[in-house]
């Protein structure tokens, strides 16, 4: 833990896990949507469902969806700001069993009609993890530049993508691959020390068997 | 391995003694070497944390309202309006500020988690009250905050600062001990005195349960911040008088880690024990649950 994690983060109270973490999950969801959200169906589970009101978890999630960071005082009034921004919020509590006590599912529809669903967990101290995108398993913490590919699982795809990154002098700090089954859809998550520029993203998109590429900036 | 890396308070003290400098200098140098950010920027970042301390004190003092649950709010003002009968001016002010920051946190204002949101009132309260009362320079305050954060990093490394892992001793306990160290530093204490203040304070929080009513960062958190701000000052006062902890600082941290491990889960932020399960605690939880369903 660095000194600025001990004396920090700077955040809107009252809880680093239930407020700051929730805001970061909302912000990460917006980043993954890559669009101005117009509708969000939010379902909270576990401890989030039990104590969301007193912790302002609902307001924090909506603030994140509006693009506010965890130390933005607008978090306090996010519901009315969402209304002004034309973002419709449909909020639910669920008593379904979940793996992590601080879990939320957010199904978003963007201005362009784009639909993305994410599952996020708040790990404590403001740290988060996005564990699903459109029901596919992922692991994103929002702390680094990240490139995500959706591709057909077959030999050589990972090597080709990392070769393109090497050509662009992009240093990979962490990398994980998830797949639902052999030869089925796979997701590759590559964390990098610097942002991946558009021309490199385009080269990766052109690799056969890669269906889509998304880049995320640290939140 | 970095030149100024420290994983214990013994490391931190040894590095400072070797270079004939302060604990603050070692913490700053390690932050500079590990983050590759200039000393000037690192100091400016810590300085800006002091601005948020002040902002959160002001927010708590100026807002007369209650939290969403209605359980907390208004006590900082109440204590400020009352002439102290028992406490000295500094301790009285520290208690007021700790209530103010913790109430600000519960009412969703901006705070610095220090080390956590639940314990966010203690370090700002002690530091700001002492700085005002003793007229401490901004540089000395930044140094003190580096020392507190470096010590907190050691606690996090060798024990925990999460209530869910170690109970409230890990949150308010660590915060108070960090504040005691900062207080001793600002008062001109030596490197060893600063660490003794830390140890004397942390020892007296060991075993503290995290048992929040209805799972909220309100009861007992807010008032606990105020009481522990005063404890931090008492520990620092003793250290400044030359009183030493019989158990060395690193061993106190190890004891805290062990107590955290053997503490029942019911007392570690689950609200399944302690104050949360008292008749009143249960009634409050039931009332809030009902209000949420409505």
């Amino acid at each position: 833990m660095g000194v600025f994690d001990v004396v920090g983060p700077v955040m809107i109270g009252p809880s680093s896990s239930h407020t700051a973490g929730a805001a970061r999950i909302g912000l990460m969801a917006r980043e993954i949507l890559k669009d101005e959200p117009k509708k969000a169906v939010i379902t909270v589970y576990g401890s989030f469902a039990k104590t969301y009101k007193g912790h302002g978890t609902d307001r924090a999630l909506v603030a994140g969806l509006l693009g506010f960071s965890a130390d933005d005082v607008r978090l306090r009034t996010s519901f009315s700001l969402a209304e002004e921004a034309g973002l419709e919020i449909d909020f639910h509590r669920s008593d379904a069993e979940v793996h992590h006590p601080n879990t939320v599912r957010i199904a978003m529809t963007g201005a362009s009609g784009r639909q993305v669903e994410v599952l996020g967990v708040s790990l404590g101290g403001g740290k988060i993890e996005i564990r699903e995108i459109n029901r596919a398993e992922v692991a994103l913490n929002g702390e680094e530049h990240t490139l995500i590919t959706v591709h057909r699982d077959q030999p050589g795809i990972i090597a080709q993508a990392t070769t393109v990154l090497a050509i662009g002098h992009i240093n990979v700090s962490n990398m994980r691959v998830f797949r639902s089954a052999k030869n089925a859809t796979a997701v590759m998550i590559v964390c990098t020390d610097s942002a991946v520029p558009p021309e490199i993203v385009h080269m990766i998109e052109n690799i056969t068997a890669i269906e889509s590429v998304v880049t995320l900036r640290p939140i | 391995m970095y030149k100024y890396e420290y994983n214990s308070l013994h490391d931190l003290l040894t590095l400072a003694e070797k270079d004939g400098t302060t604990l603050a200098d070692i913490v700053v140098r390690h932050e500079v070497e590990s983050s590759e950010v200039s000393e000037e920027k690192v100091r400016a970042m810590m300085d800006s944390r002091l601005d948020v301390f002040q902002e959160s004190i002001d927010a708590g003092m100026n807002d007369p309202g209650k939290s969403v649950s209605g359980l907390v709010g208004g006590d900082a003002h109440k204590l400020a309006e009352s002439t102290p009968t028992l406490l000295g001016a500094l301790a009285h002010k520290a208690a007021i500020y700790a209530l103010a920051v913790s109430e600000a946190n519960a009412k969703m204002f901006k705070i610095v988690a220090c080390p956590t949101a639940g314990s966010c009132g203690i370090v700002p309260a002690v530091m700001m009250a002492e700085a005002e009362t003793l007229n401490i320079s901004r540089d000395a305050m930044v140094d003190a905050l580096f020392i507190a954060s470096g010590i907190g990093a050691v606690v996090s490394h060798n024990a925990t600062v999460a209530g869910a892992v170690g109970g409230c001793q890990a949150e308010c306990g660590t915060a108070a001990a960090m504040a005691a160290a900062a207080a001793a530093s600002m008062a001109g204490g030596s490197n060893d005195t600063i660490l003794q203040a830390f140890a004397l304070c942390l020892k007296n929080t060991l075993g503290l349960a995290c048992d929040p009513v209805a799972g909220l960062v309100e009861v007992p958190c807010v008032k606990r911040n105020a009481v522990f701000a005063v404890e931090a000052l008492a520990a620092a006062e003793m250290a400044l008088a030359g009183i030493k902890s019989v158990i060395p600082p690193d061993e106190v941290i190890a004891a805290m880690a062990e107590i955290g491990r053997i503490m029942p889960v019911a007392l570690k932020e689950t609200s399944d024990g302690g104050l949360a399960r008292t008749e009143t605690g249960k009634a409050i939880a039931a009332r809030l649950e009902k209000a949420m369903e409505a």
Side-chain angles (χ1 to χ4, degrees), chain A residues 1-19 47-60 70-73 75-76 93 125, chain B residues 6 27 31 42 45-46 49 52-53 68 105-115 117-118 145-146 149-150 152-153 156 161 178 214-218 270 289 292-293:
Chain A
M1 208 179 197
V3 290
F4 293 107
D5 295 318
V6 176
V7 179
V10 176
M11 53 170 273
I12 303 301
S15 162
S16 60
S17 56
H18 287 62
T19 320
S47 172
F48 267 12
K50 221 169 120 188
T51 65
Y52 79 86
K53 196 101 187 169
H55 283 131
T57 308
D58 49 349
R59 288 192 254 176
D71 65 348
D72 192 322
V73 287
L75 187 154
R76 296 163 60 85
R93 307 164 71 192
Chain B
Y6 52 91
V27 176
E31 184 59 24
V42 164
M45 260 177 87
M46 201 54 97
R49 295 286 203 257
V52 186
F53 281 180
V68 174
N105 180 57
K107 293 190 280 186
M108 298 184 73
F109 287 99
K110 191 193 286 190
I111 55 98
V112 182
C114 194
L145 194 49
F146 270 113
S149 63
S156 170
V161 297
M178 284 164 60
L216 300 176
V217 193
E218 301 192 12
T270 53
E289 172 64 26
M292 214 153 48
E293 276 166 1

